[in-house]
Amino acid sequence: MKHVAIIGCGQLARMLALAGWRMGIRFSFVACHEEETHCINGLGNIVRWRGSRTASDLYRALGNPDAITVERESVCTELLQGLSQHCAVHPSHEAVWTCQHRLREKHMLDGLEIATAEYCGALTPDDMELAIAQLGYPVIVKAASDSYDGKQQRRLENRADLAAMKTLLKGQSSGEWLVEKCIPFEREISFIAARSTGGDIVFYPPTENVHRNGILMHSTAPAQGLDGGLEQSGRNYLTALMEALKYVGVLSMECFLLDNRLLVNELAPRVHNSGHWTLDAHITCQFENHLRAILGLPLGDTQLNHYSGLVNILGEQDQPLNLASLSASAAVHWYNKPFAPGRKLGHLGLSADSSLELQRQVRQLHHELSTPGNHA
Ligand code: ATP
Ligand code: MG
């Protein structure tokens, strides 16, 4: 029986393990510092990592796994490097190192001539001001690392916003920032692909994503009305990135679509929220393909013959959601996390025979999720 260890204990680790159990794989998990483990309790052995052990100690404590992977990019890459002396570690520490820092990631994209939003790096509020002088308002300022779901991001429209940002930063220890031109995008599209140890690549259909306040609300696939050339550009970008990084596993790429052009927003060296619909789409889901890739198995089919999507369940109301109140046609994926406002608590998987029907289901579910009576 193969054994995979996952660094991280959130919903992505949970869905990897649930997909892997079905394939006869067993799991162990690394919980970093005080990380919560609700999502993966019962799915395998959990080892707490406080940074005091060596990589060999950790490898042994995990029970000598066959492969190690990550569910997030914010992990210690020296640790990944140390673990790679003992077993396969995918994605590699170099790939994670590049993608865990927004400026390093942008530099790699520049090097491959992949278009992104114009940007500058900033270490101080004065640097930010210089960056804005170059880019022009509006900009989005993002922490270079350790940020997700639109956290540690601020849109600056004018000098007053910059002054407010400077005041906010006054009391804080120094950080590194990406100052990025705001893109008046028409749509947001993500591309997800898996690459095997032998270099084969499979692509999921492009997915359209709708965010609110930087958090993904829903995704639908395949993205409608995309020019065939655009889909090919997305595939070419992912191929170039995966080959440059000698990548093994699932890599996700978030893009803005503007004037029939793709601008890459960011990469995720892992399975991605916008790919959760693959669980209910009767194809090889992103979790299974990631596991297949890192264990050196052939990749599974990603060809979608209908329409599929997901709606995220966020802790929006101040009461937990009553799942029984939702349309029965949606597949419930619940992450077992404690309730907190704005938190991703689960998602609903959808499939439909037409794009119109899929959009109708998405609207219906958003309505049900925001109806106060459906919260117990
Ligand atoms: P996540 O990890 O959940 O994907 P994140 O915190 O890493 O989110 P981004 O993906 O960079 O952040 O941004 C979140 C969302 O904010 C984007 O999907 C987009 O809707 C909006 N956004 C980010 N950057 C820009 C930009 N330059 N111009 C316009 N909108 C932007
Ligand atoms: Mg994002």
Side-chain angles (χ1 to χ4, degrees):
M1 197 178 192
K2 290 286 185 192
H3 173 184
V4 170
I6 304 175
I7 301 185
C9 300
Q11 67 264 24
L12 301 181
R14 174 185 179 81
M15 287 182 271
L16 280 165
L18 290 175
W21 270 71
R22 210 180 46 186
M23 299 160 71
I25 301 169
R26 70 190 176 89
F27 289 86
S28 54
F29 304 90
V30 181
C32 297
H33 301 282
E34 303 312 314
E35 181 174 1
E36 289 176 355
T37 62
H38 300 92
C39 293
I40 47 92
N41 283 342
L43 296 175
N45 189 30
I46 302 169
V47 176
R48 279 254 165 231
W49 171 259
R50 293 200 172 80
S52 52
R53 309 181 209 215
T54 63
S56 337
D57 288 343
L58 180 61
Y59 176 71
R60 270 193 297 277
L62 286 166
N64 303 358
D66 298 291
I68 297 180
T69 191
V70 300
E71 67 137 17
R72 57 163 181 264
E73 47 273 49
S74 157
V75 296
C76 169
T77 51
E78 286 86 13
L79 176 64
L80 290 183
Q81 188 172 10
L83 289 168
S84 67
Q85 306 301 310
H86 301 277
C87 69
V89 174
H90 297 301
S92 68
H93 64 96
E94 291 100 339
V96 175
W97 183 82
T98 306
C99 296
Q100 72 184 188
H101 190 278
R102 292 185 194 273
L103 287 162
R104 292 201 285 262
E105 187 174 282
K106 286 271 202 185
H107 293 153
M108 176 178 60
L109 291 162
D110 290 346
L112 293 168
E113 298 184 355
I114 295 175
T116 68
E118 261 186 277
Y119 69 98
C120 294
L123 290 169
T124 63
D126 288 343
D127 288 349
M128 269 182 208
E129 194 159 354
L130 285 174
I132 295 169
Q134 191 177 323
L135 300 170
Y137 289 108
V139 295
I140 299 198
V141 179
K142 304 177 180 181
S145 52
D146 295 328
S147 56
Y148 64 98
D149 284 352
K151 291 177 185 151
Q152 300 211 60
Q153 272 191 29
R154 240 175 127 98
R155 190 181 160 109
L156 309 183
E157 303 271 356
N158 48 41
R159 291 199 66 81
D161 288 348
L162 175 64
M165 176 91 192
K166 283 185 167 180
T167 310
L168 193 82
L169 290 178
K170 231 173 218 157
Q172 287 185 16
S173 57
S174 62
E176 197 170 0
W177 303 87
L178 170 74
V179 183
E180 193 174 80
K181 186 89 189 136
C182 234
I183 303 298
F185 57 80
E186 290 143 24
R187 300 155 73 186
E188 289 192 84
I189 309 286
S190 57
F191 292 82
I192 300 178
R195 184 167 180 268
S196 71
T197 46
D200 293 331
I201 302 181
V202 292
F203 299 92
Y204 288 97
T207 299
E208 175 150 7
N209 303 312
V210 174
H211 293 83
R212 194 196 299 150
N213 301 326
I215 303 185
L216 182 68
M217 301 303 289
H218 66 258
S219 299
T220 48
Q224 293 299 285
L226 271 200
D227 194 281
L230 275 183
E231 179 166 357
Q232 194 52 49
S233 306
R235 288 180 170 218
N236 293 346
Y237 288 174
L238 271 177
T239 304
L241 287 160
M242 288 178 132
E243 288 180 352
L245 291 166
K246 297 191 181 66
Y247 198 91
V248 172
V250 165
L251 178 68
S252 312
M253 181 175 81
E254 299 175 18
C255 300
F256 301 127
L257 179 61
L258 178 73
D259 298 333
N260 213 29
R261 267 187 341 131
L262 288 179
L263 293 180
V264 173
N265 170 27
E266 63 167 353
L267 305 173
R270 52 171 170 78
V271 288
H272 194 257
N273 191 169
S274 71
H276 293 356
W277 60 263
T278 62
L279 281 166
D280 299 299
H282 309 292
I283 55 177
T284 312
C285 69
Q286 60 168 348
F287 305 98
E288 178 169 339
N289 262 335
H290 184 69
L291 293 167
R292 282 170 169 266
I294 68 172
L295 289 171
L297 302 170
L299 300 174
D301 190 17
T302 55
Q303 191 58 50
L304 184 65
N305 294 320
H306 55 286
Y307 299 83
S308 195
L310 70 95
V311 172
N312 271 340
I313 304 175
L314 305 177
E316 268 187 295
Q317 311 282 333
D318 51 6
Q319 296 283 358
L321 176 71
N322 176 10
L323 288 174
S325 65
L326 299 176
S327 301
S329 61
V332 175
H333 297 262
W334 191 250
Y335 306 151
N336 281 349
K337 285 178 178 175
F339 175 84
R343 207 170 204 198
K344 288 177 183 165
L345 299 175
H347 76 266
L348 300 161
L350 309 174
S351 38
D353 291 334
S354 72
S355 168
L356 270 180
E357 169 56 16
L358 184 64
Q359 295 299 340
R360 192 199 63 73
Q361 289 183 18
V362 167
R363 281 194 303 276
Q364 167 76 18
L365 283 168
H366 278 311
H367 172 73
E368 289 173 8
L369 287 172
S370 60
T371 302
N374 291 344
H375 295 257

